[in-house]
Amino acid sequence: MATQQASAAQLAGLDVQQLQQLKERINADLAQFQRSGQQLSIAASKFQESAVSVAQLAEAKEGHQLLLPLTQSLYVNGKIGATDKVMIDIGTGYFVELTTAEGQSYCTRKVQKLQDSLKNVSKILQERQAMLNQVVNMMQRKMQAQANAAQASGSA
């Protein structure tokens, strides 16, 4: 509450043009955080899919036929080799061989970290939105005050 009052006092010291610039910066921040949130959400869903895939692989039998994706639209025939180990991409081109249980655990931990980050981004988005609302309200008050002052000087 005290920070809102301090923020409102700081906003009151700005003119309409400065408030407009601040509004534009906050809008840009909001857009960036929204994109970040979407990317985190997409990454979390991909790790969830990976955990399911590792679980399915653990249940599969050696020699089972399947289609392996080389790209999003190109698949090749393949056979499952050992189902007790998987290669997990841990980022920047590094792979680690893990058991299927460890692979599932890794994916689950990554999902949890991404969801925690998404919560932080959501909190920041709410704070920025509240700040934007304060700026817009202050702009409206200042513009109304300017209009009232112009009207008063015009009628006097």
Side-chain angles (χ1 to χ4, degrees):
M1 184 71 169
T3 57
Q4 285 182 340
Q5 290 174 347
S7 178
Q10 290 174 344
L11 291 176
L14 300 175
D15 64 26
V16 175
Q17 185 178 8
Q18 291 171 322
L19 288 170
Q20 180 64 31
Q21 291 171 347
L22 181 59
K23 178 184 167 194
E24 290 171 5
R25 279 190 294 204
I26 293 171
N27 278 330
D29 286 349
L30 281 171
Q32 179 62 35
F33 282 115
Q34 286 171 342
R35 283 190 298 272
S36 295
Q38 289 170 345
Q39 290 170 346
L40 287 170
S41 181
I42 289 168
S45 68
K46 286 184 180 184
F47 273 106
Q48 285 174 329
E49 290 172 10
S50 295
V52 169
S53 295
V54 170
Q56 289 173 346
L57 180 65
E59 297 170 2
K61 299 201 185 307
E62 192 170 324
H64 179 74
Q65 294 275 342
L66 73 152
L67 290 173
L68 296 169
L70 293 180
T71 66
Q72 288 184 342
S73 60
L74 179 63
Y75 292 81
V76 295
N77 287 323
K79 290 183 183 180
I80 293 179
T83 60
D84 59 335
K85 299 276 186 184
V86 292
M87 296 293 287
I88 301 288
D89 182 355
I90 60 172
T92 62
Y94 290 98
F95 290 83
V96 175
E97 185 175 320
L98 300 172
T99 65
T100 51
E102 292 170 335
Q104 284 179 288
S105 175
Y106 173 80
C107 291
T108 303
R109 287 191 316 271
K110 289 296 279 187
V111 168
Q112 186 59 46
K113 284 182 182 181
L114 289 167
Q115 287 175 341
D116 290 344
S117 295
L118 187 57
K119 286 178 188 174
N120 291 338
V121 168
S122 295
K123 182 180 173 184
I124 292 170
L125 273 169
Q126 290 174 349
E127 292 170 359
R128 295 281 198 247
Q129 187 64 47
M131 188 183 301
L132 179 64
N133 291 340
Q134 286 180 344
V135 169
V136 168
N137 289 338
M138 184 60 68
M139 282 178 63
Q140 289 173 346
R141 280 189 250 147
K142 288 203 175 224
M143 290 189 321
Q144 183 65 39
Q146 286 176 351
N148 290 343
Q151 188 177 26
S153 67
S155 64

